[in-house]
Amino acid sequence: MENREKYEAFYKRSIEDRDGFWKEQAKLIHWDKPFKTVLEYQKPPFANWFPDGTTNLCYNAVDRHLAERADQTAIIWVSTEVEQEKTITYQELYQQVNEYAALLKDLGVGKGDRVLVYLPMIAEVIPVMLSCVRIGAIHSVVFGGFASTALASRIDDAAPKLIITVDAGIRGGKVVPYKPLLQESLNQISVTRPKVLLINRNLDPNLKMEKGDLDFTTELAKHKDAVVEPEWLPSSHPSYILYTSGTTGKAKGVQRDTGGHAVAMRASMKHIYGVEPGQVMFAGSDVGWVVGHSYIVYAPLLTGATTVVYEGLPIRPDPGVWWSLVEKYKVNCLFTSPTAIRLLKKSGEEWIWKYDLSSLESMFLAGEPLDRETHRWVTSALKHAPVVDNYWQTETGWPILTNFKGMGLMETKFGSPCRPAYGFDVVLIDDLTQQPAEPNTKGSLMIRPPLPPGCLSTVWGDDERFVQTYFSRMREPIYATFDSAVYDDDGYYYIMGRDDDVINVAGHRLGTREIEEALCSHPAVAEAASIGIKDELRGQAISCFVVLTTGAEPPSEADLKNHVASQLGPVARPHFVRVVTALPKTRSGKVLRRAIVAINEGRDPGDLPTIEDASALDKIKEACKN
Ligand code: ATP
Ligand code: MG
C-alpha cells in the first residue's frame, strides 16, 4: 500500500471506529486499573477519555522503563550559557523523581494541589514536573522572563500551594534574575501567598531570600533515597495547566488530563514523529511552551527515548551549535520553530554542513507559518532528513495537521502542514454560509467534537469559558481553532492566518499569511508581517513590515509592492511596505499583529506581558511615521 492509502485508512478508522481505534492506541501505556469505557461523552463538548481507568504519567515515563533501560540515558542536559553538560539515566531519573516527590509531600503538596514551576531550562526541570504528576499534583509551568504582571495573573488563576523557582536564568550570557521578579508578582497577587522553594544556581550575587523561603538543596537532602509510590489516578485527573501564548489577548489556562494525555503523547511518537524507544529527540524549545511539555518532556520519556534539554540560544556560541549537538548525541529527531530556522538561515547553510548529521532522520517545525522559501532552504540544507511542517495549538497538545514519519511520509508540499492527524475530525467552515467550504476556498478551521485524547479537557476553573471560547463561534457547537485555511484537491491544508487577521480589500479576503509568504519569497526579505489598515475606498488596505536578510541589497518599496502584486494579483498590492530591524513577537516567537495594528492606528498597544523585545514596538512606530 502506498503511504497515502495507509494514512487514509488509518485516519478513516480513527473517525469511524473511534472507540476501537483509541482502545488500541491506549495499549501503548500502562494502566493500573484497565478502563472499560473508551469515551464518556454525556456532557458535550466535555470529553472524558478512558474514564474508569487509572494510570500515572510519571510511572509511565520512568518506572516502567527500568526493567529494560535503567542504564540508558533519559535526559541529556546541555547549557551553552553556563557551559555545562550532564546526562541522566532512567535509573538516576527514577531516584530523582522519588526524592523530589518526597520533598513535595513534605511541603504539604498533595493530590490536586497546584505547583507553579517558574524555572529556566535547568537539569532539574523535568524531575520537578514528573514528581508533581507522580503524586497527582498539578504543575503549571510559567515561561521565565515574562513581566511580573503576567506571572501574577497566572499565580492568581492557578492558586498554587508551592512555587519552585531559581535565583536566576541566563540568556545570551546575560544573567536574568528570577527571584526579584517573582517577588514583585507576589506583591500583586490576591490569592494566598504560596510557599517558595528556590534552586540556587549561584548566578545572582544579590539574591535575597525572604522569610519562609526554602532552599531546595537543604530540603532535598532530607529525602535521600526516599521511595514514593506513584499515585494511581483516574484518567481524567488534571495533570497540568499551561497558558496559551497570549498572541490574541488574555492567555487561556489549558487543562490537560492524565490518561488521554499519556496515550496521545505516546501514540504521536509512534505514528507522527517516528521515534522509537532508545532513540534521541531534541526539541529546541522551552518547557514553558506546549512544544516543551509535549516533546521535551512527556512524549520522549513515555516512549523510553532520550530527550535533549538545551539551555541557550540557537546561534550562540555560533550558529552551528544545534548541529554540533545532533552530531555529538546522535539525535534522530529534531523539533523546533520556523522562527529559529529563519534565524539560522540568516547565517547560511555552511553551519549545517560542518557536522555529521547522519543520525538525523527527520526535522519537525511548528508554532507559526513555515514559509515556502524557508522550508525549501532547510530541506535542501539538510539533504537527507525530511522537514515536516506541523500545525497545532497549546489547546490540542499534539499536531492537528501533519505528515506522518512513523507511518511513512506522504508527498511534501511546501507551504502546507499536510493533512489532518488521526482523531481530529477537521472541517473548514465558510463563515457566511456556515457550511463546509469547497476545496480551494477559504474557511475557518474547525474540529468536530469530541476532541481526541490529549486535547484540553477544559479551561482551568472555568468550564463556561471553555464552551464560550471554543465552541460558540458557529451556530453548531464545533471547536474553533481561530485560524483560517484552504485545502486543495489532494486534501492538503494551507493555513492562511488567524481568523481575525484576514484582510478584506474591496471584498477580497486575503490571509496575512499569503501576503507574508509572498514577501518572504523575495530574496532580500528574511521576515514579514502584514496587517489591514482602514481605507476609505476599499474598506481595508494592506500594510507591511519586513526585516531584511543580513547583507542583502535593500530593495526599493516599489520593488517589494510589485513583488507581492505579481504573486497574488493587483488587489494584494500593499499600500505600504516598511523596513524594520525587528518585528514585535511573543516570547514564543509569534508576531504580535494586534500590537502592530494598534500602533498603526495611533493607539496604545496596551499591556503586552508576553512580548519578547518591547523596543521592536518603537521601531514599528518610527517606521509608521515615515
Ligand atoms: P493565544 O491563543 O493565547 O492568542 P497562540 O494562539 O499564539 O496564543 P499557541 O497555542 O502557542 O498560542 O499557538 C497556536 C497557534 O500558532 C495556532 O492557532 C496557529 O495560529 C499558529 N500555528 C502553530 N503551528 C502553525 C503552523 N505549522 N502553521 C501555521 N500556523 C501555526
Ligand atoms: Mg490560540
Side-chain angles (χ1 to χ4, degrees):
M1 235 199 293
E2 271 192 47
N3 288 344
R4 187 180 53 80
E5 289 165 351
K6 253 196 306 198
Y7 157 77
E8 281 167 2
F10 196 70
Y11 179 78
K12 190 162 181 267
R13 174 153 185 245
S14 78
I15 303 297
E16 290 175 3
D17 174 23
R18 189 180 56 212
D19 284 16
F21 179 89
W22 286 109
K23 189 174 171 185
E24 213 166 284
Q25 301 307 319
K27 290 184 190 146
L28 289 164
I29 70 154
H30 170 84
W31 297 88
D32 184 59
K33 176 172 159 254
F35 57 88
K36 288 204 180 69
T37 308
V38 175
L39 171 68
E40 183 189 274
Y41 196 50
Q42 261 77 298
K43 226 181 93 196
F46 297 90
N48 194 353
W49 287 96
F50 318 112
D52 45 9
T54 65
T55 185
N56 183 285
L57 278 159
C58 183
Y59 177 87
N60 274 284
V62 185
D63 309 38
R64 190 184 183 206
H65 305 310
L66 293 181
E68 269 184 56
R69 41 189 94 247
D71 298 327
Q72 181 197 306
T73 302
I75 300 171
I76 298 167
W77 176 72
V78 178
S79 172
T80 48
E81 298 288 1
V82 295
E83 287 173 32
Q84 280 176 31
E85 296 190 15
K86 188 157 51 179
T87 57
I88 300 163
T89 63
Y90 271 103
Q91 182 66 46
E92 288 162 345
L93 183 59
Y94 172 77
Q95 191 179 341
Q96 284 182 347
V97 296
N98 276 281
E99 291 176 2
Y100 286 29
L103 168 56
L104 289 176
K105 285 190 143 178
D106 189 25
L107 297 179
V109 176
K111 187 169 152 183
D113 289 336
R114 275 80 60 208
V115 175
L116 192 133
V117 179
Y118 186 55
L119 293 175
M121 294 288 283
I122 54 175
E124 290 85 349
V125 72
I126 292 184
V128 161
M129 291 163 76
L130 292 178
S131 61
C132 288
V133 296
R134 187 172 191 83
I135 62 169
I138 303 166
H139 61 69
S140 178
V141 182
V142 176
F143 178 71
F146 277 163
S148 62
T149 44
L151 178 55
S153 74
R154 284 157 178 74
I155 299 173
D156 273 338
D157 193 61
K161 207 167 207 178
L162 175 72
I163 297 182
I164 306 181
T165 191
V166 278
D167 53 337
I170 175 164
R171 196 162 187 264
K174 212 176 124 235
V175 171
V176 185
Y178 273 46
K179 185 69 177 25
L181 197 128
L182 171 62
Q183 213 50 49
E184 230 175 87
S185 308
L186 289 175
N187 294 334
Q188 300 168 36
I189 60 169
S190 45
V191 292
T192 312
R193 196 180 188 289
K195 285 184 185 160
V196 174
L197 180 65
L198 184 123
I199 301 178
N200 193 353
R201 307 176 78 190
N202 296 310
L203 287 175
D204 183 4
N206 304 317
L207 172 69
K208 214 174 115 233
M209 295 288 270
E210 303 291 318
K211 193 164 160 269
D213 286 352
L214 300 157
D215 175 69
F216 180 77
T217 315
T218 316
E219 295 302 316
L220 189 68
K222 299 177 190 162
H223 303 281
K224 199 162 166 16
D225 298 326
V227 174
V228 175
E229 291 304 325
E231 184 90 25
W232 297 112
L233 303 162
S235 178
S236 63
H237 184 78
S239 58
Y240 73 72
I241 307 167
L242 177 64
Y243 295 85
T244 59
S245 291
T247 313
T248 55
K250 192 170 178 282
K252 297 152 287 247
V254 162
Q255 176 180 324
R256 199 92 62 210
D257 72 352
T258 294
H261 174 46
V263 172
M265 289 295 100
R266 181 64 190 88
S268 74
M269 291 297 265
K270 185 172 155 96
H271 307 301
I272 299 176
Y273 297 93
V275 176
E276 303 282 329
Q279 287 200 311
V280 183
M281 182 156 197
F282 175 13
S285 178
D286 190 283
V287 283
W289 310 126
V290 69
V291 173
H293 277 64
S294 294
Y295 297 106
I296 295 175
V297 185
Y298 287 106
L301 296 179
L302 287 165
T303 303
T306 299
T307 184
V308 179
V309 178
Y310 176 72
E311 179 181 48
L313 303 176
I315 47 163
R316 196 176 169 275
D318 62 50
V321 56
W322 280 6
W323 313 111
S324 76
L325 293 175
V326 171
E327 176 182 289
K328 180 167 179 187
Y329 291 110
K330 304 202 167 33
V331 172
N332 303 109
C333 178
L334 186 64
F335 189 153
T336 185
S337 66
T339 299
I341 296 301
R342 282 191 278 265
L343 193 64
L344 294 173
K345 181 172 156 225
K346 279 189 185 171
S347 332
E349 52 197 20
E350 319 70 271
W351 289 106
I352 301 185
W353 295 342
K354 265 180 79 168
Y355 297 95
D356 172 8
L357 306 182
S358 52
S359 61
L360 200 65
E361 293 175 6
S362 64
M363 170 145 124
F364 285 79
L365 299 174
E368 7 126 34
L370 174 61
D371 61 280
R372 291 178 176 81
E373 202 36 54
T374 303
H375 199 170
R376 211 170 277 135
W377 176 82
V378 65
T379 301
S380 108
L382 281 183
K383 296 197 180 94
H384 70 284
V387 180
V388 178
D389 179 10
N390 54 158
Y391 160 86
W392 45 295
Q393 309 182 298
T394 308
E395 288 86 344
T396 62
W398 58 286
I400 304 169
L401 299 173
T402 185
N403 209 334
F404 302 83
K405 169 75 170 55
M407 282 198 276
L409 291 170
M410 295 180 276
E411 182 200 346
T412 297
K413 296 193 189 190
F414 292 135
S416 165
C418 210
R419 303 183 65 180
Y422 49 87
F424 285 99
D425 194 355
V426 171
V427 57
L428 283 190
I429 303 275
D430 181 304
D431 274 319
L432 287 176
T433 63
Q434 302 232 345
Q435 296 299 318
E438 297 291 318
N440 306 307
T441 56
K442 226 165 280 174
S444 292
L445 186 73
M446 317 284 286
I447 303 163
R448 287 198 187 94
L451 295 174
C455 292
L456 79 169
S457 17
T458 184
V459 170
W460 171 254
D462 202 344
D463 285 353
E464 182 58 28
R465 189 168 176 215
F466 172 67
V467 179
Q468 276 306 319
T469 306
Y470 297 107
F471 293 90
S472 311
R473 204 173 167 292
M474 297 291 166
R475 274 195 295 273
E476 70 176 296
I478 176 168
Y479 176 87
T481 62
F482 297 100
D483 291 307
S484 61
V486 294
Y487 67 101
D488 67 12
D489 297 318
D490 297 328
Y492 280 61
Y493 283 76
Y494 298 79
I495 303 292
M496 308 308 283
R498 311 244 176 190
D499 271 353
D500 39 355
D501 282 344
V502 170
I503 306 175
N504 196 327
V505 184
H508 297 272
R509 289 162 55 74
L510 295 155
T512 47
R513 162 82 193 268
E514 350 175 36
I515 301 160
E516 289 159 13
E517 179 88 51
L519 283 166
C520 284
S521 71
H522 189 288
V525 175
E527 284 184 290
S530 66
I531 57 161
I533 52 170
K534 285 200 193 77
D535 184 274
E536 299 269 308
L537 209 61
R538 304 193 293 171
Q540 274 188 309
I542 302 163
S543 104
C544 307
F545 299 87
V546 296
V547 177
L548 298 182
T549 314
T550 322
E553 173 84 20
S556 70
E557 188 176 359
D559 177 16
L560 292 171
K561 287 183 184 177
N562 291 340
H563 187 76
V564 177
S566 73
Q567 298 214 349
L568 299 175
V571 306
R573 189 185 176 80
H575 184 67
F576 71 70
V577 184
R578 299 277 190 269
V579 174
V580 289
T581 48
L583 295 173
K585 288 186 189 161
T586 62
R587 293 268 176 185
S588 54
K590 292 160 200 280
V591 175
L592 280 159
R593 277 192 205 76
R594 71 192 163 100
I596 306 182
V597 170
I599 291 173
N600 231 278
E601 294 175 354
R603 287 185 285 120
D604 176 16
D607 201 17
L608 298 167
T610 64
I611 192 165
E612 160 86 36
D613 171 13
S615 76
L617 293 174
D618 301 328
K619 289 170 188 147
I620 298 280
K621 242 180 244 170
E622 274 305 303
C624 288
K625 277 193 205 141
N626 301 325

